[in-house]
Amino acid sequence: MLHYDNHGWSVTDTDFNVRFLGKTEAVMALGNGYLGLRSTHEEDYPGQTRGFFVAGTFNRSTAEEVPELPNLPDVVNMHICIGGQPVRLERGTYAVYSKRLDLRTGELVRQFKWKPADGKDVGFEFRRFVSQDDLHLIGARVTIRPRDRVSVSISSGIDGQVTNSGAMHLDRGVRRVWPGDVLSYRAATTESGVGIAINSAHALWLNGRRIDRSGIQIDRRSVSIRYALELSENDVLTIEKISNVYTTRDKTFANIGFDEYANAALKAAFVAKDRG
């Protein structure tokens, strides 16, 4: 059930139900006039519909289809495991669930405690925003607080396997992992030829100490990095993910080549990461 408070400036869902995820995905969607992002959960659920769209990138997937905004590679998904078990609220048990969109700040905040079948409670907080100052930028932060010693693994990246209800609008593109835990995905729409550059910069801290990634994975239409570590009671694990998207429809890049424009987008990701 959705609740409106702060004189209508925030909307909150306190009753997680996997059957009604589409409601909060749409009602709490984030956008800034350049890009729009459905407010899906980081973890996967049946029926969840990931959506990431940028203005002006229309494409026709086949001659029989009408032009539409392509669903761009997803930067929200994170696969988090506690003690080898994927964090999903319809498995194990959860409590104190809240998903809230603050309309004053534009920040989406989700909080809950989750306990796997054979473990103790772990506290989670997810924060996400779409920038109004830098229209290309999406920021996310995840904080994990365990009540006991536990192993944690996190896989996060850019997933180009998303579609528009089955219609694929992008070519396979080029995927890379750069020093500093920065991922890049460069592709183009299949018919209209709009170039797309998406980057995600990661940083992980355990009690304020920086943690290096433990592995990388590049699959067909996706690229991700992985962290794996052991946490103890009262530890605080934080992962920040700063993503950006640029397209060749942007006026800033109207007179330069695709490679130069994509490199400028990658540089902007490093700048955003350093700015924190």
Side-chain angles (χ1 to χ4, degrees):
M1 179 179 294
L2 299 181
H3 307 276
Y4 297 86
D5 47 22
N6 295 332
H7 302 287
W9 281 105
S10 66
V11 56
T12 304
D13 178 27
T14 57
D15 184 22
F16 172 83
N17 191 321
V18 72
R19 295 181 299 168
F20 304 126
L21 290 179
K23 177 182 289 187
T24 58
E25 290 173 17
V27 171
M28 299 183 185
L30 304 176
N32 58 16
Y34 175 79
L35 64 87
L37 189 67
R38 283 179 68 89
S39 289
T40 52
H41 291 7
E42 282 74 7
E43 64 272 20
D44 286 320
Y45 294 101
Q48 187 166 239
T49 304
R50 301 192 180 276
F52 181 19
F53 307 94
V54 170
T57 57
F58 288 97
N59 185 70
R60 190 194 305 268
S61 62
T62 67
E64 293 76 24
E65 299 283 348
V66 299
E68 59 182 346
L69 288 175
N71 193 4
L72 299 184
D74 176 62
V75 297
V76 170
N77 180 276
M78 289 188 187
H79 186 69
I80 303 174
C81 288
I82 302 295
Q85 300 184 48
V87 175
R88 287 180 50 166
L89 298 185
E90 85 277 37
R91 302 174 182 175
T93 58
Y94 71 90
V96 201
Y97 175 84
S98 172
K99 181 179 181 180
R100 176 174 57 86
L101 175 62
D102 188 324
L103 296 173
R104 292 185 186 273
T105 64
E107 186 179 32
L108 180 72
V109 182
R110 187 165 58 104
Q111 299 171 317
F112 58 84
K113 293 182 179 179
W114 182 77
K115 182 169 67 174
D118 57 353
K120 292 190 176 182
D121 290 345
V122 180
F124 292 87
E125 180 182 77
F126 299 82
R127 293 180 175 268
R128 188 188 312 161
F129 71 92
V130 166
S131 176
Q132 193 65 45
D133 293 328
D134 181 348
L135 298 182
H136 303 271
L137 188 144
I138 300 167
R141 174 184 291 168
V142 180
T143 303
I144 302 175
R145 295 180 172 90
R147 287 189 57 193
D148 202 352
R149 184 171 181 83
V150 67
S151 62
V152 177
S153 67
I154 302 172
S155 178
S156 174
I158 306 173
D159 181 10
Q161 298 178 4
V162 295
T163 65
N164 290 60
S165 301
M168 179 63 70
H169 284 281
L170 299 180
D171 60 24
R172 290 185 59 181
V174 177
R175 301 156 309 286
R176 288 195 62 178
V177 179
W178 301 86
D181 293 355
V182 178
L183 312 179
S184 67
Y185 195 120
R186 303 176 182 182
T189 56
T190 55
E191 182 263 340
S192 57
V194 178
I196 308 289
I198 298 176
N199 306 283
S200 288
H202 294 76
L204 187 81
W205 290 275
L206 174 59
N207 302 326
R209 177 173 59 88
R210 182 69 183 269
I211 301 296
D212 294 328
R213 68 172 184 257
S214 60
I216 64 175
Q217 187 167 352
I218 300 178
D219 294 322
R220 180 177 292 182
R221 297 182 181 270
S222 70
V223 56
S224 60
I225 60 176
R226 185 176 182 273
Y227 301 94
L229 62 162
E230 296 288 330
L231 300 186
S232 299
E233 183 180 4
N234 298 322
D235 279 345
V236 178
L237 181 68
T238 303
I239 181 170
E240 289 188 350
K241 183 177 184 179
I242 304 296
S243 303
N244 67 17
V245 56
Y246 289 78
T247 85
T248 52
R249 293 296 305 273
D250 300 342
K251 292 183 179 179
T252 307
F253 301 106
N255 299 314
I256 66 175
F258 181 82
D259 288 341
E260 186 177 354
Y261 125 86
N263 289 335
L266 180 63
K267 181 179 179 180
F270 278 97
V271 171
K273 178 184 178 182
D274 293 339
R275 194 170 58 205

